Amino acid sequence: MPNQNDMRGEGLRIAGAKRVFIALWLGVLLLKLVVATQLPLFVDEAFYWQEGQHPGWAYSDLPGLTAWLIRLGVEVAGNNHFGVRLPFLLMGAALPWMMVGMVRRELGEGAAPWLAGSATVLLPLAGTLGIMALPDVPMALATMMCLDAGARLLRRVDYGAALLLAVGLAIGALSHYRFIAVIGVGVIALALLPNGRRALRDPRVWIAIAFGAAAWVPLLAWNIENAEAGLRFQLVERHPWALHASGFSFIPLQMLFVSPLLLAGLLLAGWRAARHGEREVVRLFGLLGGLVVLGFFALGFFADTERVSFHWPLPGYLALIPLLPALLASWPRWLRRATWGLAGAGLAAVFAYYAAVSIPSVRAHSAAWKWYPSNFAGWNVLADAVEEELARMPGDTRLVADNFKIGAELGFRLDNPRIQVLDHPLNRFHGRAPQLQLWGLETPGRAQWGDDPVLLVVGASDVPYRNLLRRYHALCERVGPLPAPARVLNIDHGSQRFLLFALKGGAGADVGCTAPAMAWVDTPVSGDRAGWPLEVAGWAFKDGVGLSRVEVLLDGTPVAEAEYGLEAPGIAGYWEISTDPSHPRVGFRAQVEAQPLLRPGRYWLGLRLHGQDGSVEDWSEQPIIIE
C-alpha cells in the first residue's frame, strides 16, 4: 500500500497539474480575446458573415452552422470582429474542459486529465481555435462530443450517451463536408471493438445516427436543387485526384503546426494504444485518432494542393490527446519538459503571427515575403477609400466589386451584404460563384447597369501577374473602356493593390480597351544591394493609350525621370493581347544620383506611370538595400 508521503506527493502533483492547466487556459483565453478583437477578418470569415446576412439552410461552400453562429454573434455583440468571433471563442474555450472531463471519467482522477487539458491548450491547432470564425471550431466541438459519446457507449448504452452522440453528429454535419471522415472512421473504430459492436447493435445508437444523418438533409437538398454544385466543388473540382508528391509536405507541416515532439508523442501513443491497449476505450482513442491522421496523410497525395489543408487532421489529434499523459510518464524528465516547451513555443509562434498580421507596420515590412498575409491586409484602408469616393459621386451610384473577397470584406466594413460582384476566376476557385448567383449578386456588367454611375473596385493583386492583362481586357468586355483610376491603393507597398474606377453611364462602349498600366523592374531585382548611382531599368505600357513618362520613386518620393521609349521587342510577344500603340518601344532606363538625405539602408523602389490620357498610377514597390 502507498505510504502517506507517497499519497501526499501524488496529491501535490495533481494539484500542480490542475493549477498549470487553469493558468494556461486563462492566459491563452485572454490572448485569444485580445487577438480576436484586433485581427482583421480573413476573407473566408467575411464571406461567412455575408452568408449569415442571407439566412439559409445551407450554402454553396458549407452547411449552415458557421453562418448561423456568426449571425448570432453579430446580433449579440454588434457588427464587429468580436461579434463575428464570439460564438467560436466560447466553443474554443470549452474544448479543454471537455477533454479534462472525458479523461477524468475514462482514465482516472490523477494528473492525467489536467495534463490532457494542458495538451489541448498548447497544441497550436487546438489552442488557437476561436480566434477566427471558421467551421473547424464547431467541427472540433462535434468531434469531442462524439468521442466522449463513443467512450460512454463502450461501457454501456444509455439514453445520455445516445443523446450526446446524436447532438455531436448533428453539429458535425452542420459544420463541414469534411466531418464525413470523422463519422466513417468512428464507425470503423467501434466495429473493431467487441463492446463497440455491441453498441452498434443497440437501436438507441441507430436512432442517434439517424438523427445525425438527418442533419445532412439541408445540405443534400441544397445540392439537389443546385445541380450538386457544392458536392462537385468539395469532392471533385477542388482536387486533382491524381497521385502527386506534395503529400510528403504533410510531415513537415504537421511538425510545424503541432510541434515535433508533441506530434511524435501523439502518433506513438496512438500506435501503442491501437495495437496493445488493454482497455477498449484506450484502443478506441488510438484507432480513431490514428486512422484520421493517417487517412488525411494518404489523402494528401491525391487531394487539393493549392488551398490550406494543414488543419484537416485536428480531429485525429483530439482523439489522441487522452493517451498522451501515460506515454509522457514513461519518458525521461528532460524529454517531457522539451515536449511541453516546444508545444508552448509553437503556440506562442502562432499567436505572434496573428499579432504581427494585426499590426499594419509589421505587415508592411513583410510585403516582399512569399508568405505575405494578403487575405488579412488592407481591407479597412480600402473601405475608407471607397466611402470617400462614393461621397464624391451621385447618390444613386452602384458599388461593384471585382470578386467575392472584395465584395464580402467591403460588405462587412460598410454593413452592406448586397454589394454586387463581377464574374471572376476566384469566385469559382473557392466555390462561391453559385452562392453569389443565387443571391442575385453576380452582375454581368454594363448590360445590367444601363446609364447608372458605378464605382468599380478591382483587386489588381488578386490574380497572378501573368494573367493580369487578360483580366483587365475581360473587365473591358463587361464594363467598357476603363477610365483613369479615381484612386490607386498600394497597400503594404503594393503587395495588396486596389484600383477604384468611377464609371459613368455606358459612354465609349464601342471603342477599344483602355486598361491600367503594367510595368516591371528588371534592374535591380527585389532585395538587391546597390550603390550610387543607382541604375534602374525595365519596361512599362498602358493598353489603349500608352504612357508618356515614367518616374522612379524611393520610399514614395520621385528621385529621377526615366528615359522612356527604349526598344523592348519581347514584351509585346509575351503579353500577346497588348494594344499599347508604343510597342516595341516600351522600355525605360534611369540613373539615380546620390541622394544626400538618404543614408545607407533598406528602401522601397517604385515607379510613377503617366498615361497619355492624363492618368497617373503608382506601381508596386520592391525592397532594395542601398550601401
Side-chain angles (χ1 to χ4, degrees):
M1 292 182 64
N3 60 40
Q4 194 171 12
N5 288 334
D6 289 340
M7 294 176 63
R8 185 181 299 111
E10 178 65 13
L12 290 174
R13 194 168 74 88
I14 294 171
K18 181 179 180 179
R19 285 194 298 270
V20 168
F21 164 74
I22 293 175
L24 283 172
W25 180 81
L26 286 173
V28 169
L29 178 58
L30 180 60
L31 282 174
K32 289 201 286 189
L33 288 171
V34 172
V35 172
T37 59
Q38 301 300 316
L39 182 70
L41 281 200
F42 190 71
V43 291
D44 287 346
E45 292 181 280
F47 193 76
Y48 301 149
W49 168 88
Q50 191 173 17
E51 289 177 331
Q53 301 301 307
H54 295 83
W57 288 109
Y59 303 93
S60 66
D61 54 342
L62 285 179
L65 184 58
T66 301
W68 305 341
L69 289 170
I70 291 175
R71 180 62 180 270
L72 175 63
V74 166
E75 293 295 330
V76 170
N79 192 56
N80 51 59
H81 295 155
F82 180 70
V84 167
R85 293 162 173 159
L86 175 59
F88 301 85
L89 286 165
L90 294 175
M91 287 186 289
L95 284 174
W97 288 100
M98 294 174 68
M99 180 68 72
V100 168
M102 182 181 69
V103 174
R104 176 188 288 167
R105 188 190 66 244
E106 299 297 335
L107 300 179
E109 290 280 351
W114 306 109
L115 293 175
S118 296
T120 308
V121 174
L122 291 176
L123 178 71
L125 287 176
T128 55
L129 282 177
I131 289 177
M132 292 195 291
L134 299 175
D136 298 84
V137 186
M139 195 166 77
L141 182 73
T143 298
M144 281 299 304
M145 295 176 75
C146 292
L147 189 64
D148 196 352
R152 292 170 186 259
L153 291 173
L154 289 180
R155 288 201 313 275
R156 66 186 182 91
V157 178
D158 57 29
Y159 289 104
L163 179 61
L164 184 63
L165 177 64
V167 175
L169 290 173
I171 292 174
L174 294 170
S175 299
H176 203 286
Y177 289 84
R178 204 164 57 243
F179 193 71
I180 295 172
V182 178
I183 296 174
V185 170
V187 171
I188 292 172
L190 285 174
L192 291 174
L193 302 171
N195 284 329
R197 292 191 292 272
R198 172 187 54 77
L200 289 174
R201 289 193 292 268
D202 193 289
R204 288 170 291 186
V205 173
W206 283 103
I207 292 172
I209 292 173
F211 183 83
W216 292 97
V217 170
L219 189 63
L220 294 175
W222 187 97
N223 277 279
I224 291 171
E225 293 174 1
N226 295 278
E228 296 83 38
L231 283 168
R232 281 189 288 107
F233 171 73
Q234 292 287 351
L235 303 180
V236 180
E237 295 170 359
R238 69 175 294 179
H239 302 293
W241 296 122
L243 184 64
H244 53 78
S246 301
F248 287 113
S249 65
F250 177 93
I251 298 173
L253 280 174
Q254 295 307 302
M255 292 177 68
L256 179 65
F257 288 102
V258 178
S259 77
L261 290 177
L262 190 57
L263 176 65
L266 290 171
L267 295 179
L268 181 58
W271 169 259
R272 289 182 176 179
R275 296 274 296 180
H276 309 295
E278 295 181 359
R279 299 177 56 189
E280 283 198 343
V281 69
V282 170
R283 293 184 61 198
L284 175 69
F285 295 152
L287 287 169
L288 182 57
L291 289 174
V292 168
V293 174
L294 291 177
F296 281 122
F297 173 52
L299 184 64
F301 289 95
F302 302 91
D304 184 8
T305 59
E306 298 185 56
R307 301 164 187 85
V308 173
S309 58
F310 62 81
H311 57 292
W312 288 3
L314 176 58
Y317 297 136
L318 291 175
L320 295 175
I321 282 176
L323 309 173
L324 187 65
L327 177 75
L328 292 181
S330 66
W331 285 8
R333 187 175 183 181
W334 68 267
L335 189 54
R336 292 199 301 270
R337 287 186 170 182
T339 301
W340 293 116
L342 280 176
L347 181 66
V350 177
F351 273 108
Y353 170 80
Y354 285 137
V357 168
S358 304
I359 303 172
S361 60
V362 176
R363 199 172 57 231
H365 191 76
S366 69
W369 297 356
K370 181 180 179 181
W371 304 111
Y372 170 75
S374 60
N375 284 324
F376 290 103
W379 303 113
N380 56 335
V381 177
L382 176 62
D384 291 343
V386 166
E387 287 188 308
E388 291 173 8
E389 292 302 322
L390 285 175
R392 297 189 182 103
M393 299 180 71
D396 60 345
T397 298
R398 289 175 180 253
L399 176 59
V400 178
D402 180 36
N403 58 64
F404 87 90
K405 291 183 177 183
I406 297 173
E409 290 282 1
L410 281 179
F412 170 71
R413 280 160 179 77
L414 303 180
D415 199 12
N416 177 11
R418 298 291 304 173
I419 295 175
Q420 289 188 305
V421 177
L422 291 171
D423 178 39
H424 194 286
L426 279 177
N427 303 346
R428 298 185 294 276
F429 183 75
H430 292 278
R432 271 67 192 259
Q435 194 60 61
L436 292 168
Q437 293 163 7
L438 283 175
W439 290 335
L441 296 184
E442 185 175 281
T443 174
R446 178 57 66 185
Q448 184 187 69
W449 307 337
D451 292 332
D452 292 349
V454 173
L455 179 61
L456 174 63
V457 185
V458 175
S461 51
D462 284 334
V463 295
Y465 188 59
R466 64 181 180 275
N467 299 330
L468 183 57
L469 187 62
R470 291 191 180 277
R471 180 60 192 166
Y472 287 154
H473 280 252
L475 286 173
C476 284
E477 293 175 3
R478 291 176 172 82
V479 308
L482 297 171
R487 191 174 301 199
V488 177
L489 296 176
N490 284 318
I491 298 167
D492 295 338
H493 306 288
S495 290
Q496 185 79 303
R497 194 164 191 261
F498 300 103
L499 305 173
L500 277 60
F501 296 96
L503 306 179
K504 299 178 181 179
D510 57 341
V511 302
C513 182
T514 302
M518 304 280 291
W520 192 263
V521 177
D522 292 319
T523 305
V525 300
S526 179
D528 258 6
R529 295 179 176 272
W532 303 115
L534 175 63
E535 301 289 338
V536 181
W539 51 263
F541 63 84
K542 182 176 175 66
D543 273 17
V545 295
L547 294 173
S548 61
R549 50 192 284 249
V550 174
E551 292 181 276
V552 177
L553 314 179
L554 278 178
D555 282 358
T557 302
V559 291
E561 180 85 17
E563 179 186 0
Y564 182 68
L566 305 179
E567 291 283 343
I571 303 306
Y574 177 83
W575 291 104
E576 296 180 342
I577 63 172
S578 177
T579 60
D580 186 311
S582 301
H583 282 300
R585 302 180 66 82
V586 296
F588 66 84
R589 180 175 58 238
Q591 181 171 287
V592 182
E593 300 300 331
Q595 304 292 306
L597 298 180
L598 297 184
R599 297 179 178 180
R602 188 174 191 247
Y603 291 89
W604 290 90
L605 174 67
L607 303 172
R608 183 162 291 161
L609 311 172
H610 297 260
Q612 296 283 4
D613 58 353
S615 62
V616 179
E617 302 175 34
D618 282 3
W619 190 248
S620 302
E621 298 173 320
Q622 62 189 51
I624 60 170
I625 308 297
I626 294 181
E627 298 178 329

mmCIF file of all heavy atoms in Angstrom, residues 305-326:
data_model
loop_
_atom_site.group_PDB
_atom_site.id
_atom_site.type_symbol
_atom_site.label_atom_id
_atom_site.label_comp_id
_atom_site.label_asym_id
_atom_site.label_seq_id
_atom_site.Cartn_x
_atom_site.Cartn_y
_atom_site.Cartn_z
ATOM 1 N N THR A 305 -3.874 20.744 -53.491
ATOM 2 C CA THR A 305 -2.559 21.218 -53.067
ATOM 3 C C THR A 305 -2.474 22.739 -53.032
ATOM 4 O O THR A 305 -1.453 23.285 -52.639
ATOM 5 C CB THR A 305 -1.468 20.701 -54.022
ATOM 6 O OG1 THR A 305 -1.753 21.177 -55.359
ATOM 7 C CG2 THR A 305 -1.427 19.190 -54.030
ATOM 8 N N GLU A 306 -3.525 23.437 -53.447
ATOM 9 C CA GLU A 306 -3.461 24.889 -53.594
ATOM 10 C C GLU A 306 -4.121 25.629 -52.447
ATOM 11 O O GLU A 306 -3.878 26.819 -52.253
ATOM 12 C CB GLU A 306 -4.116 25.309 -54.912
ATOM 13 C CG GLU A 306 -3.410 24.734 -56.143
ATOM 14 C CD GLU A 306 -4.016 25.260 -57.428
ATOM 15 O OE1 GLU A 306 -4.072 26.489 -57.589
ATOM 16 O OE2 GLU A 306 -4.448 24.444 -58.263
ATOM 17 N N ARG A 307 -5.001 25.000 -51.702
ATOM 18 C CA ARG A 307 -5.671 25.653 -50.600
ATOM 19 C C ARG A 307 -5.161 25.085 -49.284
ATOM 20 O O ARG A 307 -4.607 23.991 -49.249
ATOM 21 C CB ARG A 307 -7.192 25.474 -50.703
ATOM 22 C CG ARG A 307 -7.770 26.036 -52.012
ATOM 23 C CD ARG A 307 -9.166 25.489 -52.247
ATOM 24 N NE ARG A 307 -9.692 25.853 -53.545
ATOM 25 C CZ ARG A 307 -9.453 25.174 -54.665
ATOM 26 N NH1 ARG A 307 -8.698 24.106 -54.649
ATOM 27 N NH2 ARG A 307 -9.973 25.576 -55.807
ATOM 28 N N VAL A 308 -5.355 25.810 -48.211
ATOM 29 C CA VAL A 308 -4.838 25.404 -46.905
ATOM 30 C C VAL A 308 -5.500 24.105 -46.452
ATOM 31 O O VAL A 308 -6.721 23.978 -46.473
ATOM 32 C CB VAL A 308 -5.086 26.524 -45.878
ATOM 33 C CG1 VAL A 308 -4.702 26.058 -44.489
ATOM 34 C CG2 VAL A 308 -4.283 27.767 -46.266
ATOM 35 N N SER A 309 -4.688 23.139 -46.021
ATOM 36 C CA SER A 309 -5.242 21.868 -45.544
ATOM 37 C C SER A 309 -4.493 21.323 -44.326
ATOM 38 O O SER A 309 -4.780 20.210 -43.887
ATOM 39 C CB SER A 309 -5.199 20.820 -46.669
ATOM 40 O OG SER A 309 -3.874 20.624 -47.132
ATOM 41 N N PHE A 310 -3.538 22.115 -43.784
ATOM 42 C CA PHE A 310 -2.751 21.595 -42.667
ATOM 43 C C PHE A 310 -3.597 21.331 -41.431
ATOM 44 O O PHE A 310 -3.204 20.567 -40.555
ATOM 45 C CB PHE A 310 -1.612 22.564 -42.326
ATOM 46 C CG PHE A 310 -2.066 23.930 -41.872
ATOM 47 C CD1 PHE A 310 -2.477 24.149 -40.565
ATOM 48 C CD2 PHE A 310 -2.063 25.002 -42.752
ATOM 49 C CE1 PHE A 310 -2.890 25.396 -40.143
ATOM 50 C CE2 PHE A 310 -2.475 26.258 -42.341
ATOM 51 C CZ PHE A 310 -2.889 26.455 -41.036
ATOM 52 N N HIS A 311 -4.777 21.950 -41.323
ATOM 53 C CA HIS A 311 -5.619 21.802 -40.136
ATOM 54 C C HIS A 311 -6.555 20.605 -40.214
ATOM 55 O O HIS A 311 -7.244 20.302 -39.243
ATOM 56 C CB HIS A 311 -6.457 23.069 -39.947
ATOM 57 C CG HIS A 311 -7.301 23.404 -41.143
ATOM 58 N ND1 HIS A 311 -6.756 23.809 -42.331
ATOM 59 C CD2 HIS A 311 -8.638 23.386 -41.330
ATOM 60 C CE1 HIS A 311 -7.732 24.023 -43.200
ATOM 61 N NE2 HIS A 311 -8.876 23.768 -42.619
ATOM 62 N N TRP A 312 -6.595 19.926 -41.331
ATOM 63 C CA TRP A 312 -7.547 18.824 -41.501
ATOM 64 C C TRP A 312 -7.411 17.722 -40.449
ATOM 65 O O TRP A 312 -8.418 17.166 -40.007
ATOM 66 C CB TRP A 312 -7.405 18.221 -42.898
ATOM 67 C CG TRP A 312 -7.935 19.104 -43.995
ATOM 68 C CD1 TRP A 312 -8.445 20.365 -43.857
ATOM 69 C CD2 TRP A 312 -8.006 18.797 -45.394
ATOM 70 N NE1 TRP A 312 -8.831 20.869 -45.084
ATOM 71 C CE2 TRP A 312 -8.575 19.928 -46.042
ATOM 72 C CE3 TRP A 312 -7.642 17.700 -46.153
ATOM 73 C CZ2 TRP A 312 -8.780 19.963 -47.411
ATOM 74 C CZ3 TRP A 312 -7.846 17.737 -47.526
ATOM 75 C CH2 TRP A 312 -8.413 18.852 -48.150
ATOM 76 N N PRO A 313 -6.196 17.320 -40.024
ATOM 77 C CA PRO A 313 -6.091 16.192 -39.069
ATOM 78 C C PRO A 313 -6.459 16.536 -37.628
ATOM 79 O O PRO A 313 -6.349 15.661 -36.765
ATOM 80 C CB PRO A 313 -4.600 15.798 -39.152
ATOM 81 C CG PRO A 313 -4.052 16.476 -40.349
ATOM 82 C CD PRO A 313 -4.856 17.717 -40.515
ATOM 83 N N LEU A 314 -6.869 17.768 -37.323
ATOM 84 C CA LEU A 314 -7.129 18.151 -35.937
ATOM 85 C C LEU A 314 -8.051 17.181 -35.202
ATOM 86 O O LEU A 314 -7.776 16.833 -34.045
ATOM 87 C CB LEU A 314 -7.693 19.571 -35.878
ATOM 88 C CG LEU A 314 -8.109 20.070 -34.491
ATOM 89 C CD1 LEU A 314 -6.940 20.033 -33.521
ATOM 90 C CD2 LEU A 314 -8.704 21.474 -34.576
ATOM 91 N N PRO A 315 -9.161 16.710 -35.795
ATOM 92 C CA PRO A 315 -9.999 15.745 -35.055
ATOM 93 C C PRO A 315 -9.220 14.512 -34.597
ATOM 94 O O PRO A 315 -9.475 13.978 -33.514
ATOM 95 C CB PRO A 315 -11.082 15.377 -36.070
ATOM 96 C CG PRO A 315 -11.193 16.576 -36.961
ATOM 97 C CD PRO A 315 -9.789 17.084 -37.093
ATOM 98 N N GLY A 316 -8.262 14.070 -35.409
ATOM 99 C CA GLY A 316 -7.457 12.925 -35.011
ATOM 100 C C GLY A 316 -6.585 13.222 -33.811
ATOM 101 O O GLY A 316 -6.446 12.401 -32.895
ATOM 102 N N TYR A 317 -5.986 14.410 -33.785
ATOM 103 C CA TYR A 317 -5.148 14.783 -32.634
ATOM 104 C C TYR A 317 -5.973 14.894 -31.357
ATOM 105 O O TYR A 317 -5.505 14.525 -30.272
ATOM 106 C CB TYR A 317 -4.428 16.097 -32.917
ATOM 107 C CG TYR A 317 -3.471 16.029 -34.088
ATOM 108 C CD1 TYR A 317 -3.426 17.037 -35.036
ATOM 109 C CD2 TYR A 317 -2.616 14.946 -34.249
ATOM 110 C CE1 TYR A 317 -2.556 16.977 -36.113
ATOM 111 C CE2 TYR A 317 -1.744 14.869 -35.320
ATOM 112 C CZ TYR A 317 -1.722 15.890 -36.255
ATOM 113 O OH TYR A 317 -0.869 15.817 -37.319
ATOM 114 N N LEU A 318 -7.182 15.401 -31.470
ATOM 115 C CA LEU A 318 -8.038 15.487 -30.280
ATOM 116 C C LEU A 318 -8.324 14.102 -29.717
ATOM 117 O O LEU A 318 -8.396 13.922 -28.497
ATOM 118 C CB LEU A 318 -9.350 16.195 -30.639
ATOM 119 C CG LEU A 318 -9.243 17.692 -30.959
ATOM 120 C CD1 LEU A 318 -10.595 18.231 -31.410
ATOM 121 C CD2 LEU A 318 -8.740 18.474 -29.750
ATOM 122 N N ALA A 319 -8.478 13.108 -30.593
ATOM 123 C CA ALA A 319 -8.716 11.742 -30.120
ATOM 124 C C ALA A 319 -7.480 11.131 -29.491
ATOM 125 O O ALA A 319 -7.581 10.259 -28.610
ATOM 126 C CB ALA A 319 -9.193 10.873 -31.292
ATOM 127 N N LEU A 320 -6.289 11.579 -29.903
ATOM 128 C CA LEU A 320 -5.049 11.003 -29.373
ATOM 129 C C LEU A 320 -4.585 11.664 -28.081
ATOM 130 O O LEU A 320 -3.815 11.061 -27.314
ATOM 131 C CB LEU A 320 -3.939 11.130 -30.427
ATOM 132 C CG LEU A 320 -4.136 10.323 -31.715
ATOM 133 C CD1 LEU A 320 -3.034 10.646 -32.712
ATOM 134 C CD2 LEU A 320 -4.166 8.827 -31.424
ATOM 135 N N ILE A 321 -5.023 12.880 -27.813
ATOM 136 C CA ILE A 321 -4.546 13.607 -26.624
ATOM 137 C C ILE A 321 -4.810 12.847 -25.324
ATOM 138 O O ILE A 321 -3.940 12.843 -24.428
ATOM 139 C CB ILE A 321 -5.167 15.020 -26.586
ATOM 140 C CG1 ILE A 321 -4.433 15.931 -27.581
ATOM 141 C CG2 ILE A 321 -5.098 15.621 -25.186
ATOM 142 C CD1 ILE A 321 -5.013 17.329 -27.702
ATOM 143 N N PRO A 322 -5.955 12.163 -25.117
ATOM 144 C CA PRO A 322 -6.134 11.424 -23.848
ATOM 145 C C PRO A 322 -5.059 10.378 -23.583
ATOM 146 O O PRO A 322 -4.820 10.003 -22.428
ATOM 147 C CB PRO A 322 -7.505 10.756 -24.019
ATOM 148 C CG PRO A 322 -8.224 11.615 -25.009
ATOM 149 C CD PRO A 322 -7.174 12.089 -25.950
ATOM 150 N N LEU A 323 -4.399 9.907 -24.625
ATOM 151 C CA LEU A 323 -3.373 8.870 -24.469
ATOM 152 C C LEU A 323 -2.005 9.455 -24.136
ATOM 153 O O LEU A 323 -1.098 8.713 -23.755
ATOM 154 C CB LEU A 323 -3.265 8.060 -25.768
ATOM 155 C CG LEU A 323 -4.573 7.507 -26.324
ATOM 156 C CD1 LEU A 323 -4.335 6.876 -27.701
ATOM 157 C CD2 LEU A 323 -5.176 6.492 -25.369
ATOM 158 N N LEU A 324 -1.838 10.757 -24.293
ATOM 159 C CA LEU A 324 -0.520 11.377 -24.171
ATOM 160 C C LEU A 324 0.050 11.324 -22.761
ATOM 161 O O LEU A 324 1.238 11.019 -22.584
ATOM 162 C CB LEU A 324 -0.595 12.820 -24.669
ATOM 163 C CG LEU A 324 0.723 13.579 -24.767
ATOM 164 C CD1 LEU A 324 1.621 12.946 -25.833
ATOM 165 C CD2 LEU A 324 0.475 15.049 -25.104
ATOM 166 N N PRO A 325 -0.736 11.618 -21.697
ATOM 167 C CA PRO A 325 -0.127 11.623 -20.355
ATOM 168 C C PRO A 325 0.545 10.303 -19.980
ATOM 169 O O PRO A 325 1.632 10.307 -19.383
ATOM 170 C CB PRO A 325 -1.318 11.924 -19.435
ATOM 171 C CG PRO A 325 -2.266 12.703 -20.294
ATOM 172 C CD PRO A 325 -2.143 12.090 -21.650
ATOM 173 N N ALA A 326 -0.072 9.175 -20.315
ATOM 174 C CA ALA A 326 0.534 7.881 -19.965
ATOM 175 C C ALA A 326 1.852 7.685 -20.697
ATOM 176 O O ALA A 326 2.819 7.144 -20.136
ATOM 177 C CB ALA A 326 -0.441 6.749 -20.292
#
